Amino acid sequence: MAVDIVIYHNPACGTSRNTLAMIRNAGIEPHVVEYLKTPPSRALLVDLIERAGISPRDLLREKGTPYAELGLGDATLTDDTLLDAMMAHPILINRPLVVSPLGVRLCRPSEAVLDLLPEPQQGAFAKEDGEQVVDSAGQRIA
């Protein structure tokens, strides 16, 4: 059975790499969108935010971005202003965002992706830092 999964991915991000690896550990080859090279349209970004049940501020990334220089910490800024900033500077979009038949989620921490996968893990999985997330039977470690 083919499973359609999309990951909005940044290969320079460890969390994003771990998430992608867990998707593949379930035997699924996702559609990988390197969103810094191919940013989503504003309409798609709004749709993904709504489907994930979060706000634009929840998707806003601070670390390694122009967040502070743009004054995005100002709580009075509107969702439209935050979306404008993300469209102008895609690095402000937090990652990885994963779309599956089971929903849409910002997968931070990376093991949050396990809740979106319709297929079980096919074996043990450890994150890049060595943290074991899935045991040899393919079961999530609590």
Side-chain angles (χ1 to χ4, degrees), residues 123-127 129-136 141-142:
F125 182 84
K127 293 182 184 182
D129 66 3
E131 179 187 350
Q132 196 73 30
V133 178
V134 175
D135 66 21
S136 61
I141 297 171

Side-chain angles (χ1 to χ4, degrees), residues 70-105:
L70 296 172
L72 298 176
D74 180 347
T76 65
L77 296 176
T78 65
D79 286 351
D80 280 335
T81 300
L82 299 178
L83 287 164
D84 289 344
M86 285 187 262
M87 296 311 304
H89 306 276
I91 192 71
L92 288 165
I93 301 170
N94 214 339
R95 71 275 182 159
L97 200 58
V98 176
V99 180
S100 95
L102 300 178
V104 177
R105 180 172 291 173

Side-chain angles (χ1 to χ4, degrees), residues 14-15 17-23 25-26 107-117 120-142:
T15 301
R17 290 191 306 270
N18 284 321
T19 301
L20 177 57
M22 278 186 265
I23 296 168
N25 196 48
C107 292
R108 298 191 78 80
S110 56
E111 57 269 27
V113 75
L114 297 173
D115 298 329
L116 292 176
L117 300 177
Q121 294 289 285
Q122 295 183 345
F125 182 84
K127 293 182 184 182
E128 291 178 358
D129 66 3
E131 179 187 350
Q132 196 73 30
V133 178
V134 175
D135 66 21
S136 61
Q139 298 300 310
R140 186 180 194 159
I141 297 171

